Amino acid sequence: MRQSKLFTKTTKTISSDMKAVSHKFLHQAGFIRESVAGRYYFLPLGIIVRDKIQKIIEIEMNMAGAIKMITPVLHPIELWEETNRTNSVGFELMKVKDRNGSEFALGGTAEEMVIDLVRKFNLSYKDLPFNIYQFSQKFRDELRARGGLLRVREFMMKDAYSFHVDAEDFQNEYKKMQDTYKRIFDYVHLKTFMIESDGGYIGGDYCHEFVMESKIGESRFFISEDESYVAQEDVAKFKKENKNTNEEEKDIQEVKAKRGNTMEDGVKFHKLPLWQQIKDVMFVDEKERIILAIIRGDLDVNECKLKKIINSNKIRHATDKEIRELGSEPGFISPIGMKKGVMIVADDSLRTIKNAYGGANKKDTDLLNINIDRDYKPNIEGDIAMASDGCIAENGKKLIEKNGIEVGHVFQLGYHYSKKMKGANFTDKDGKEKPFYMGCYGIGLDRTMATIVEAHHDDKGIIWPEEVAPFKVHLISLNKVEVADKIYNDLVKNNIEVLYDDREGSAGEKFADADLIGCPYRLVVSEKTLKEDSVELKKRSEEKCELVKIDQIVKLLNS
Amino acid sequence: MRQSKLFTKTTKTISSDMKAVSHKFLHQAGFIRESVAGRYYFLPLGIIVRDKIQKIIEIEMNMAGAIKMITPVLHPIELWEETNRTNSVGFELMKVKDRNGSEFALGGTAEEMVIDLVRKFNLSYKDLPFNIYQFSQKFRDELRARGGLLRVREFMMKDAYSFHVDAEDFQNEYKKMQDTYKRIFDYVHLKTFMIESDGGYIGGDYCHEFVMESKIGESRFFISEDESYVAQEDVAKFKKENKNTNEEEKDIQEVKAKRGNTMEDGVKFHKLPLWQQIKDVMFVDEKERIILAIIRGDLDVNECKLKKIINSNKIRHATDKEIRELGSEPGFISPIGMKKGVMIVADDSLRTIKNAYGGANKKDTDLLNINIDRDYKPNIEGDIAMASDGCIAENGKKLIEKNGIEVGHVFQLGYHYSKKMKGANFTDKDGKEKPFYMGCYGIGLDRTMATIVEAHHDDKGIIWPEEVAPFKVHLISLNKVEVADKIYNDLVKNNIEVLYDDREGSAGEKFADADLIGCPYRLVVSEKTLKEDSVELKKRSEEKCELVKIDQIVKLLNS
């Protein structure tokens, strides 16, 4: 392509919100342009890169036996109501009515749509398993879009959905998709961790994110020193070491405690360690249930783990007023004597301490020597604790906290959708109707593109890996147009992708543009090099240049 | 692909609304499935065909020098307000609000979006011309969807937009795009007419549709016997022969006319020819303007021509009440003495008659010997007449009425958008800011796919042209699985696209499926043919079969 034909020029100007490197360079080099916040044009250079990423994914998915198809963008809202996702997705879902009054969701993910399609056919066990996928524009009504293509409101996603007779058959596909994703991300030169994760509103019992480590990433995860365990913060498990369980249980005791209502106040007042305190946090969920989460004083509640254990979509902190209406007191909440109907959820760390201390459900009053089972009985016990940097993984290794960018996600869905949607069944060998066992698998193409830039750049611009580069070669003519034209035509004839800077302009400007755009090879045609019948060849990723005879260019670049 | 892996089975069942052949066969063969009315899934076979059509268009557009890019699907409504299209498009536009209250149009066409992009760059005459195109999902809130993929509410469109310094430069591109479209439709085996057309809400002064003749098509057009003139009904021009203009003008005369209010009543009552009568039709437009359209009695008003001549987006017939409020009388309307403020629009056919007759703006009263200029003065004169089968083209040949399916459309836009949108300018050689001169060019991919089926089928199913067939070969195994497997692998290895019917089932069922799906070649492996180390080869478009030695199959199919 001739650069003179590219109306989208490079620019030095950036706006103050362009903090991510990928945002800055993709904008400056002319790959993308914002329409309004979170919605982007893919300019001619940008669509070439995204198409290449798409092609790589398509080939790998086909090789894994998945079958391409496509659903409409507008999903009848009735389908989302069937699975109750209109509630669980909440504000992120965009809805639109047509002139006949029918309501639609703008597709975010397409579980309901593919199930609605599949149930139109009367399938039997013989038709299973299969995995269908699509590339289509997805919509998320994010409150704040940021980071350029890293968090957008509209984007191209590859989403795949697999259908199985049972969990065992699904496991094969889950493993195959994990391997496929690893190959895809290797191929586009992204070093990713596959980490245990939380499924959010997708549902299902377990899932894995593919995450590239990055300080600007919004995925917080923990990795054990030996890298054998990696998990997203909302599922990360860690050892809760025994504290004092060999102590004798002492008699419970109510004491006046003139203090503030922070944890530290309690520690200072009673001169007891933080870990011996019980931390009480009161929540209200979307069904108006009241939940008292309790945990060892040196730990924090992870709200995502809590939601999962109590099966809620949304929770919020109770107000002081609500706490008092329960007959308790902010800062002095206690599971002991808590009003009936409040669901007490205890972190299993409370099994590591004895003779704990904490509030007494009345102002300026604490209890000492609280013991689980004897003094209070949780409704639910389990892991609701937040991991933190330096805590110990179950394999005994230290956990390190990291940030990363999520580029792919594979989900076990199990029967999560098929049991909610009527007729999402197949006929098994025994003649009985059984629900599909399912999985789903997503890659955001736009974010993948941005993440490649986050991984491959220097301070001058992007350094595209050849597999996804807009062009292999950036050919620059310094006023030797005829020779450059000839080289350009030669390259095109030999199917070498080339961006030809045939514009007027200084060498400095042209070199700066080439560095910014980031094609893997730069060829410069100038009077100096032509004296030796040569052009100057430089790899974007290296500093050194070499002279290449004109008649050797094609051979060299094709090797 | 193995047919056993295709969960989308063929079906005999059709619903009563599947009247178009393409609707019926694409549904039965498993290319598409309806989600809700006018919104379709493209099943695995369907997406292959659509992707092939897309690839053909992409290659041709690139060869013509157009550059691919893509806009967001959601268009900020402010842009559509800038060009006043929120009014002109009306109900067909779907709108959606995000959680921040911003309003968007779901993209129908993208003139505003591409202009908003282009004006972000400071372009000069040196950057022009260019033509940018995209493939993206489009939305039209059609009142009634029908005909399967022929009229849908959501579809994939290739839309292109070109930017020029002036009309002359645009003409080159317009011609180039017309040629490109001809090549595209030739390539996918659609015989199309390029016909003068009306631009509807796209705007601009002239445009051409690419239409395939079809009885079920919704485009009505006229073609001269010698095929040198083809025009859509809303722009078709024809000769309005002189009737009696050499007559002397007689004195105007008011007469009682006890009659009904049809044209025929007038003819019978006055015993004068229909062509000598003046037909008066009263309209109201979206700006509440009142328009009296008058025309020779033997012709009809074409509302599209009328709207264009008066520059209205929408018109409706005036009610009897409204007519009376103007001091006139339904059935007896006359331009003579019409209330001031009513816009009188006369068809130029009124210049072919003298001493006409018609109403007198009061009940049961007619005027005789009405003459233009002497008795009434139109505000606007021009062509607002509807062509009809058998009327005479301006070249003297008879016009024949046809129906067809519009598959593509090229538009001159001129300054229609660039003068409405602030900053849609380039810097010309003289240093002055000038608005872009523009064109746009669209092809609906879904409709193109359906039209190919309308053109290529028999009573058993589809007969895909090889260029767009889902697979070149349909390989059918009749219980000789091992040999068939080997042939399948051979074909795949040699890059011959093959659908392999490896399912259990009768020969009859498999042949019926093959005919329905319509791959160009059918290969049958059976005990009988294997006796001669052969398979049976049949072209879908022919009746005869031939035996082909197994080791010759690849060679034959690759030739």
Side-chain angles (χ1 to χ4, degrees):
Chain A
M1 182 183 284
R2 283 176 180 265
Q3 211 166 334
S4 62
K5 290 280 156 205
L6 217 53
F7 72 95
T8 59
K9 300 155 190 286
T10 60
T11 176
K12 290 202 173 71
T13 317
I14 56 167
S15 67
S16 59
D17 66 321
M18 293 183 188
K19 293 193 180 89
V21 169
S22 58
H23 191 181
K24 187 181 134 193
F25 284 151
L26 287 172
H27 173 87
Q28 289 188 313
F31 286 84
I32 58 170
R33 204 50 110 235
E34 191 177 71
S35 163
V36 290
R39 307 188 191 278
Y40 284 88
Y41 295 89
F42 278 73
L43 304 180
L45 294 178
I47 196 75
I48 297 175
V49 175
R50 203 181 75 179
D51 280 353
K52 285 193 176 184
I53 294 171
Q54 180 169 337
K55 195 74 207 166
I56 289 166
I57 297 173
E58 183 167 348
I59 289 172
E60 289 291 338
M61 290 299 289
N62 290 346
M63 274 173 48
I67 305 177
K68 191 174 162 185
M69 51 153 289
I70 197 161
T71 72
V73 169
L74 296 193
H75 302 182
I77 201 77
E78 294 77 14
L79 295 179
W80 286 64
E81 284 164 354
E82 252 188 274
T83 60
N84 200 30
R85 277 222 293 182
T86 42
N87 288 323
S88 56
V89 179
F91 276 126
E92 291 187 9
L93 192 66
M94 293 195 87
K95 286 181 252 179
V96 63
K97 268 196 184 149
D98 75 5
R99 67 204 284 190
N100 297 320
S102 303
E103 199 172 7
F104 299 90
L106 268 69
T109 62
E111 286 77 7
E112 290 85 356
M113 285 299 276
V114 294
I115 293 174
D116 191 45
L117 172 65
V118 167
R119 69 180 170 182
K120 291 177 199 285
F121 299 90
N122 284 322
L123 299 188
S124 83
Y125 69 96
K126 287 185 200 165
D127 300 303
L128 299 173
F130 58 86
N131 186 347
I132 47 185
Y133 74 96
Q134 65 177 344
F135 293 97
S136 74
Q137 202 70 359
K138 299 293 190 297
F139 301 83
R140 300 261 167 91
D141 199 356
E142 300 279 358
L143 195 56
R144 269 176 298 278
R146 59 179 165 270
L149 297 186
L150 290 172
R151 181 163 295 278
V152 290
R153 297 198 168 104
E154 198 184 318
F155 57 98
M156 169 71 84
M157 184 162 116
K158 188 284 297 172
D159 43 332
Y161 307 86
S162 70
F163 292 77
H164 307 273
V165 290
D166 56 24
E168 193 190 333
D169 189 58
F170 162 72
Q171 276 302 326
N172 297 332
E173 189 70 19
Y174 196 63
K175 179 74 179 54
K176 199 196 276 179
M177 281 295 114
Q178 290 179 337
D179 294 343
T180 298
Y181 274 37
K182 278 179 208 154
R183 268 203 309 278
I184 289 168
F185 294 123
D186 281 352
Y187 204 87
V188 301
H189 294 254
L190 285 185
K191 180 182 181 310
T192 54
F193 291 105
M194 187 176 82
I195 69 181
E196 283 179 35
S197 182
D198 177 73
Y201 62 66
I202 299 293
D205 299 323
Y206 57 90
C207 62
H208 288 85
E209 278 180 14
F210 287 79
V211 168
M212 186 192 81
E213 195 188 332
S214 162
K215 286 204 178 84
I216 64 157
E218 294 182 1
S219 282
R220 201 164 144 250
F221 66 99
F222 292 88
I223 180 164
S224 65
E225 286 169 309
D226 62 351
E227 300 207 353
S228 68
Y229 178 72
V230 203
Q232 199 252 347
E233 64 169 338
D234 292 331
V235 298
K237 290 200 188 76
F238 62 97
K239 271 195 182 168
K240 294 157 188 173
E241 75 286 17
N242 199 357
K243 293 291 188 186
N244 64 342
T245 49
N246 46 5
E247 259 184 35
E248 282 296 302
E249 290 188 356
K250 299 180 197 162
D251 287 348
I252 196 162
Q253 195 184 340
E254 188 175 302
V255 294
K256 280 286 148 198
K258 258 260 166 269
R259 58 169 174 91
N261 52 15
T262 70
M263 302 293 294
E264 265 321 299
D265 289 332
V267 171
K268 278 184 201 155
F269 184 84
H270 295 291
K271 301 188 174 59
L272 285 167
L274 182 61
W275 56 256
Q276 209 166 349
Q277 198 171 152
I278 297 178
K279 182 182 285 180
D280 310 76
V281 198
M282 196 79 85
F283 292 97
V284 182
D285 80 353
E286 85 277 15
K287 300 162 204 154
E288 293 295 313
R289 295 186 302 180
I290 300 164
I291 299 106
L292 174 59
I294 51 178
I295 194 166
R296 213 171 68 190
D298 58 333
L299 297 175
D300 283 312
V301 172
N302 178 301
E303 296 189 12
C304 187
K305 286 182 177 179
L306 176 63
K307 279 195 290 185
K308 196 146 193 181
I309 213 168
I310 62 173
N311 194 23
S312 278
N313 293 320
K314 263 177 270 176
I315 54 174
R316 62 168 177 84
H317 283 266
T319 62
D320 286 359
K321 185 160 169 274
E322 285 168 330
I323 292 168
R324 290 199 179 97
E325 279 168 3
L326 291 166
S328 186
E329 176 64 30
F332 295 87
I333 302 172
S334 172
I336 300 167
M338 179 48 63
K339 195 172 172 182
K340 262 200 165 168
V342 173
M343 187 194 292
I344 299 173
V345 183
D347 185 63
D348 45 21
S349 58
L350 294 172
R351 293 276 167 199
T352 67
I353 53 170
K354 275 195 173 156
N355 301 321
Y357 64 103
N361 288 325
K362 43 192 166 183
K363 196 162 166 63
D364 298 341
T365 315
D366 273 351
L367 292 171
L368 303 179
N369 305 324
I370 306 168
N371 285 293
I372 193 165
D373 297 335
R374 187 190 71 179
D375 304 323
Y376 68 95
K377 291 192 175 43
N379 300 90
I380 298 176
E381 267 184 75
D383 174 30
I384 57 169
M386 183 91 87
S388 59
D389 193 61
C391 64
I392 305 301
E394 286 178 341
N395 67 3
K397 303 287 179 188
K398 212 189 265 183
L399 284 177
I400 304 157
E401 185 185 330
K402 304 251 187 202
N403 276 66
I405 303 169
E406 178 211 339
V407 284
H409 214 144
V410 295
F411 299 85
Q412 177 263 20
L413 298 177
Y415 301 116
H416 186 81
Y417 292 86
S418 53
K419 284 198 172 167
K420 287 177 184 157
M421 292 182 74
K422 209 177 152 185
N425 300 325
F426 66 98
T427 313
D428 206 353
K429 276 181 192 163
D430 56 11
K432 285 187 182 143
E433 296 281 295
K434 293 178 187 168
F436 296 112
Y437 195 100
M438 292 182 60
C440 78
Y441 320 90
I443 296 178
L445 276 71
D446 306 12
R447 192 186 283 176
T448 296
M449 178 167 154
T451 308
I452 295 171
V453 177
E454 293 292 335
H456 302 280
H457 67 268
D458 60 17
D459 57 353
K460 292 178 194 154
I462 306 170
I463 306 172
W464 289 108
E466 201 170 315
E467 288 77 0
V468 294
F471 296 91
K472 182 169 182 172
V473 181
H474 203 147
L475 171 67
I476 293 175
S477 149
L478 298 180
N479 302 322
K480 279 292 154 189
V481 176
E482 269 173 49
V483 185
D485 275 1
K486 200 192 153 302
I487 294 171
Y488 173 65
N489 291 331
D490 262 13
L491 291 172
V492 169
K493 220 185 315 174
N494 284 281
N495 288 319
I496 296 171
E497 296 165 346
V498 53
L499 179 62
Y500 173 25
D501 192 343
D502 58 340
R503 303 169 302 170
E504 293 166 19
S506 74
E509 282 166 8
K510 291 186 171 198
F511 292 167
D513 269 10
D515 282 341
L516 189 57
I517 293 171
C519 300
Y521 295 92
R522 190 186 77 187
L523 283 181
V524 180
V525 184
S526 70
E527 237 163 289
K528 205 178 78 188
T529 64
L530 287 180
K531 278 181 194 152
E532 305 192 34
D533 282 332
S534 294
V535 296
E536 186 197 85
L537 175 70
K538 181 184 167 301
K539 282 182 93 164
R540 175 66 182 87
S541 56
E542 295 174 6
E543 281 308 310
K544 68 169 202 289
C545 303
E546 55 175 320
L547 282 183
V548 177
K549 294 282 176 205
I550 290 177
D551 57 9
Q552 295 297 306
I553 298 173
V554 168
K555 201 176 145 199
L556 193 82
L557 287 171
N558 261 341
S559 66
Chain B
M1 182 184 284
R2 283 174 181 267
Q3 213 167 334
S4 62
K5 290 279 158 206
L6 216 54
F7 73 95
T8 58
K9 298 152 191 289
T10 60
T11 179
K12 291 202 173 69
T13 318
I14 56 166
S15 65
S16 59
D17 65 321
M18 293 182 189
K19 292 192 181 89
V21 169
S22 59
H23 191 182
K24 187 180 136 195
F25 284 151
L26 288 172
H27 173 87
Q28 288 188 313
F31 286 84
I32 59 170
R33 203 51 108 238
E34 191 177 71
S35 162
V36 290
R39 306 187 192 278
Y40 285 88
Y41 295 89
F42 279 74
L43 304 182
L45 294 178
I47 197 74
I48 297 175
V49 175
R50 203 181 74 178
D51 280 353
K52 285 193 175 182
I53 294 169
Q54 180 168 337
K55 194 75 207 166
I56 289 166
I57 296 172
E58 184 167 347
I59 290 171
E60 290 291 340
M61 290 298 290
N62 290 345
M63 274 172 47
I67 304 178
K68 190 173 162 185
M69 51 152 289
I70 196 163
T71 73
V73 169
L74 296 193
H75 302 181
I77 201 75
E78 294 77 15
L79 295 180
W80 287 63
E81 283 164 353
E82 251 189 274
T83 59
N84 201 30
R85 278 223 292 183
T86 43
N87 288 324
S88 55
V89 179
F91 277 125
E92 291 187 10
L93 193 66
M94 292 194 87
K95 285 182 252 178
V96 63
K97 267 195 183 149
D98 75 5
R99 67 204 285 190
N100 297 322
S102 303
E103 198 172 7
F104 297 90
L106 268 67
T109 61
E111 286 78 6
E112 291 85 354
M113 285 298 276
V114 295
I115 293 173
D116 190 45
L117 172 65
V118 166
R119 68 180 170 181
K120 290 177 199 288
F121 300 89
N122 284 320
L123 299 187
S124 83
Y125 69 96
K126 286 185 201 165
D127 300 303
L128 299 172
F130 58 88
N131 186 348
I132 47 185
Y133 74 96
Q134 64 176 346
F135 292 98
S136 74
Q137 203 69 359
K138 298 294 192 294
F139 301 84
R140 302 262 167 92
D141 199 357
E142 299 279 358
L143 196 56
R144 268 175 299 278
R146 58 179 165 272
L149 297 185
L150 290 172
R151 182 165 292 278
V152 289
R153 298 198 168 105
E154 198 184 318
F155 57 98
M156 170 72 85
M157 184 161 117
K158 187 284 297 172
D159 43 331
Y161 307 87
S162 69
F163 293 76
H164 307 271
V165 289
D166 57 24
E168 192 188 335
D169 189 58
F170 161 74
Q171 276 302 326
N172 296 333
E173 190 70 19
Y174 196 63
K175 180 74 179 51
K176 199 197 275 178
M177 281 294 115
Q178 289 178 337
D179 293 342
T180 298
Y181 274 37
K182 277 180 207 153
R183 268 203 310 278
I184 289 169
F185 294 122
D186 281 352
Y187 203 88
V188 301
H189 293 254
L190 285 184
K191 180 180 184 307
T192 54
F193 291 105
M194 187 177 82
I195 69 181
E196 283 180 37
S197 182
D198 176 72
Y201 63 66
I202 300 293
D205 298 323
Y206 57 90
C207 61
H208 288 85
E209 280 179 15
F210 288 78
V211 169
M212 187 193 79
E213 193 188 335
S214 162
K215 287 203 175 85
I216 64 158
E218 295 183 0
S219 281
R220 199 161 146 253
F221 67 98
F222 292 88
I223 181 164
S224 65
E225 287 170 308
D226 62 350
E227 302 207 352
S228 70
Y229 178 71
V230 202
Q232 199 253 346
E233 63 170 337
D234 291 332
V235 298
K237 291 200 186 78
F238 61 97
K239 272 196 179 166
K240 295 159 188 171
E241 75 285 19
N242 198 358
K243 293 293 190 186
N244 65 341
T245 49
N246 46 5
E247 260 185 31
E248 284 293 306
E249 289 188 0
K250 300 181 195 159
D251 286 346
I252 196 162
Q253 192 183 342
E254 187 174 304
V255 294
K256 280 285 151 199
K258 256 258 170 271
R259 59 169 173 91
N261 54 15
T262 71
M263 303 292 296
E264 265 321 301
D265 288 335
V267 172
K268 275 183 204 154
F269 184 85
H270 295 292
K271 299 187 174 61
L272 285 168
L274 182 62
W275 58 255
Q276 209 166 348
Q277 196 170 155
I278 297 177
K279 183 182 282 181
D280 311 76
V281 198
M282 196 79 85
F283 293 96
V284 182
D285 80 353
E286 84 279 13
K287 301 161 204 155
E288 294 295 316
R289 296 187 300 182
I290 300 165
I291 299 107
L292 174 60
I294 51 178
I295 194 167
R296 211 171 68 189
D298 58 335
L299 298 175
D300 283 312
V301 172
N302 178 301
E303 295 188 12
C304 187
K305 287 183 177 178
L306 175 62
K307 280 195 290 185
K308 197 148 191 177
I309 215 168
I310 62 173
N311 194 22
S312 277
N313 293 321
K314 262 177 272 178
I315 54 172
R316 62 168 176 84
H317 282 266
T319 61
D320 285 359
K321 186 160 169 273
E322 285 168 331
I323 292 169
R324 290 199 179 99
E325 279 167 3
L326 292 166
S328 185
E329 176 66 29
F332 295 88
I333 302 172
S334 171
I336 300 168
M338 179 49 62
K339 196 171 172 185
K340 261 202 167 168
V342 172
M343 185 194 295
I344 299 173
V345 183
D347 185 64
D348 47 19
S349 58
L350 294 172
R351 294 274 168 203
T352 65
I353 54 171
K354 276 198 173 156
N355 300 320
Y357 65 103
N361 288 326
K362 43 191 168 183
K363 196 163 165 61
D364 297 339
T365 314
D366 276 349
L367 292 172
L368 302 180
N369 305 324
I370 305 169
N371 286 293
I372 193 165
D373 297 335
R374 185 191 71 177
D375 303 321
Y376 67 96
K377 289 191 173 47
N379 300 89
I380 299 177
E381 266 185 77
D383 173 29
I384 57 168
M386 182 92 84
S388 59
D389 192 62
C391 65
I392 304 300
E394 287 179 341
N395 66 3
K397 303 288 178 188
K398 211 191 265 184
L399 284 177
I400 304 158
E401 185 184 331
K402 304 253 186 201
N403 276 67
I405 304 169
E406 178 210 340
V407 284
H409 215 141
V410 294
F411 299 86
Q412 177 262 22
L413 298 177
Y415 301 116
H416 185 81
Y417 291 85
S418 53
K419 285 199 171 167
K420 287 177 183 159
M421 292 182 74
K422 208 177 153 187
N425 300 327
F426 65 98
T427 313
D428 206 353
K429 276 182 194 164
D430 56 11
K432 284 188 185 146
E433 296 282 295
K434 293 179 186 168
F436 296 111
Y437 196 100
M438 292 181 61
C440 78
Y441 319 91
I443 296 180
L445 275 72
D446 307 13
R447 192 186 281 175
T448 297
M449 178 167 153
T451 308
I452 295 171
V453 177
E454 294 291 336
H456 302 281
H457 67 268
D458 60 18
D459 55 355
K460 292 176 193 156
I462 306 169
I463 307 173
W464 289 109
E466 201 170 316
E467 288 77 1
V468 293
F471 297 90
K472 181 168 183 173
V473 181
H474 203 148
L475 172 66
I476 293 175
S477 149
L478 299 179
N479 303 322
K480 278 292 152 190
V481 175
E482 270 174 47
V483 184
D485 275 1
K486 200 190 154 303
I487 294 172
Y488 173 64
N489 291 330
D490 261 14
L491 291 172
V492 169
K493 220 184 315 173
N494 284 281
N495 288 320
I496 294 171
E497 296 166 346
V498 52
L499 180 62
Y500 173 25
D501 192 344
D502 58 339
R503 304 168 302 170
E504 293 165 19
S506 74
E509 281 166 9
K510 291 184 172 200
F511 290 169
D513 268 11
D515 282 341
L516 189 56
I517 292 171
C519 300
Y521 294 92
R522 189 184 78 186
L523 282 182
V524 180
V525 184
S526 70
E527 238 164 288
K528 207 178 77 187
T529 63
L530 288 180
K531 277 179 194 153
E532 303 191 37
D533 284 332
S534 295
V535 296
E536 186 197 86
L537 175 71
K538 181 184 168 299
K539 282 181 94 163
R540 176 65 183 86
S541 57
E542 295 174 8
E543 280 309 310
K544 68 170 204 289
C545 302
E546 56 175 320
L547 282 182
V548 178
K549 294 283 177 206
I550 290 177
D551 57 8
Q552 294 299 306
I553 298 174
V554 169
K555 200 178 147 199
L556 193 83
L557 288 171
N558 260 341
S559 67

